[in-house]
Structure formats: C-alpha cells, structure tokens
Amino acid sequence: MPKVTFVNEHRTVEAAPGRLLSDIAAELGIAVCREAFRGTGIGDYTCWVKGEPGATSPPTFLEKLLGARGQRRMANRTRVLGDVQVWTQAGPGNRLRAPRPIAPPPSPATDPEAPRKPIDASGSAAFPYGDPRAVGHGKREPIAAGALEAKAAKEKKAKAAPAKAAEGAAPAEATEPAEAAKAPGAAKAPKASEAAPKATETEAPKSAATEAATAPEETTATRAAATAEKTGGGESP
C-alpha cells in the first residue's frame, strides 16, 4: 500500500490507492484547507506533494486553473497512487480548535530510517547561508580556517622570487670586472707594457751622456795636435 508522509506533522500512514489526500489527512486530524468560512470546507486546499512520477493522479483542469504547477497540488483533487511526501500550509485551522496531533520529530540517533536534511542551498541552524557543498556550483568544499591567509602568503612569496633573482644577478655582473683584473694573465700584460716605455726612457739619457763624455776627449786631442804642428813648424828654419 502507498505510504503518505505529512512532513510538517511528522506523521506517516498507509492508505489505499486512489484515495484523496484531503480524506487521508482528515482521518489523522490534519487540516489541509484554509477555510474561507469556518465549518463549510470551502477554501484553499493548496499543498505540496513530492513523489516519483505516477505516484499521484495527474492534475485536473480545475487544478491547473487554480495554479497547480510542479509539486503544488490541491489536496481535495489529488489521489494517491504511490509513496508521497506532503507539505501542508502553515496554520490553516482556527486557534479555537483542538491542536492537530503531531508526532515527535524523527531522530536519526535513535531511528536509522529517519529522514535527514539533504545537502542543499537552504539555510539551517548549522549553515545559515546554505550548505557550503551545495552553494554556488554545488561542488564547493568548506574552506578550512587560515586557508585564505596561507594562499595569500604563498602568492606573495611567488611574486617576490623573481625580484630576489634580479637582485642576485646585479652583484654578479659587478664582480665580473674585478675577477678579470685578478686573473694571472691579465695582471702580467699591463706590467710588460709599462716596462717597455721605462726601458726606452733610460736608454736615451745613457747615449747622450756617452756622447757628452767622448766629445771633450776628441777636442783635447785635436787641440794638442794643432799646437804640436805650430811649434814644430816654428823651430825648423
């Protein structure tokens, strides 16, 4: 037999196929009609029914005219053919009536078959803005505490790495000339080139000095020869 579950009232009952939802609710003391005049049964029978395709009779022409769309149905015109869940309107009865019977809420801790809240974007006490696994694209996982700060620090470190590499390259370029000056071959070449001009400079004064030293000797010899010729010429008659 089909099972009819009234979610707001926490009531589940088995009913014969083809029965109206309004009749099943009346047997349980559940009011599904927001009556325009008390005791007349005339009013709004809107409720929301969820079930597999074919679990309820198709919407009639009058239901469609009254705005039945999707899960929104009229309890006095919907017949049960399979297992369904029914959500009734809030406070359809008069406050002077006896309160409708409500079973204790299901507890998954004591009843393994108790329905749990599905993972969806609807708010709850635990997630006021919806379950993080269902909000957005439905694939977002809860963000751990401190994850955003760690991500920002990682990005900052990645940006600082190229700057540090550029700073390390600049001192290396500055040390290249110093290293070239310290090389053995480069040190000897300038000394040899500097020694050459010094050698030529010292040689030039030496040649001039020798010429100056030899010049007086030649002049004295010539003078002695000239005086000898003069004296010899004078003595001979």
Side-chain angles (χ1 to χ4, degrees):
M1 295 177 68
K3 288 184 178 181
V4 181
T5 302
F6 292 90
V7 179
N8 295 338
E9 292 77 17
H10 310 299
R11 301 293 298 276
T12 302
V13 65
E14 292 183 352
R19 294 195 62 187
L20 290 172
L21 276 176
S22 57
D23 295 342
I24 299 171
E27 290 180 356
L28 297 175
I30 298 172
V32 293
C33 176
R34 189 184 294 276
E35 296 178 339
F37 301 97
R38 182 182 177 187
T40 60
I42 300 172
D44 185 8
Y45 280 85
T46 300
C47 64
W48 290 263
V49 183
K50 180 181 178 182
E52 296 295 331
T56 58
S57 59
T60 62
F61 174 76
L62 184 59
E63 280 189 277
K64 293 180 180 179
L65 191 63
L66 294 174
R69 299 287 186 279
Q71 296 182 357
R72 183 177 180 179
R73 301 295 300 272
M74 302 299 162
N76 60 336
R77 297 187 178 275
T78 303
R79 297 187 179 276
V80 177
L81 303 176
D83 295 348
V84 293
Q85 290 178 316
V86 182
W87 284 265
T88 58
Q89 299 183 69
N94 190 283
R95 66 181 181 86
L96 298 177
R97 283 186 178 179
R100 56 186 177 181
I102 298 177
S107 175
T110 57
D111 185 5
E113 297 182 358
R116 293 175 176 267
K117 182 183 179 300
I119 297 174
D120 53 19
S122 61
S124 62
F127 303 107
Y129 299 102
D131 195 303
R133 291 170 288 181
V135 176
H137 299 288
K139 299 179 181 178
R140 188 180 70 180
E141 296 294 334
I143 300 174
L148 296 178
E149 290 77 0
K151 184 179 179 182
K154 187 176 180 181
E155 292 177 354
K156 186 177 180 180
K157 186 177 181 181
K159 290 180 181 179
K164 288 183 180 179
E167 291 176 1
E173 293 177 357
T175 53
E176 286 181 0
E179 292 177 356
K182 292 179 181 179
K188 290 180 180 179
K191 290 180 180 179
S193 61
E194 291 174 0
K198 290 180 180 179
T200 55
E201 289 175 0
T202 53
E203 288 176 0
K206 286 181 180 180
S207 60
T210 52
E211 289 178 359
T214 55
E217 294 177 359
E218 291 178 357
T219 53
T220 53
T222 53
R223 288 176 183 176
T227 54
E229 288 178 357
K230 288 179 179 181
T231 56
E235 292 177 356
S236 59

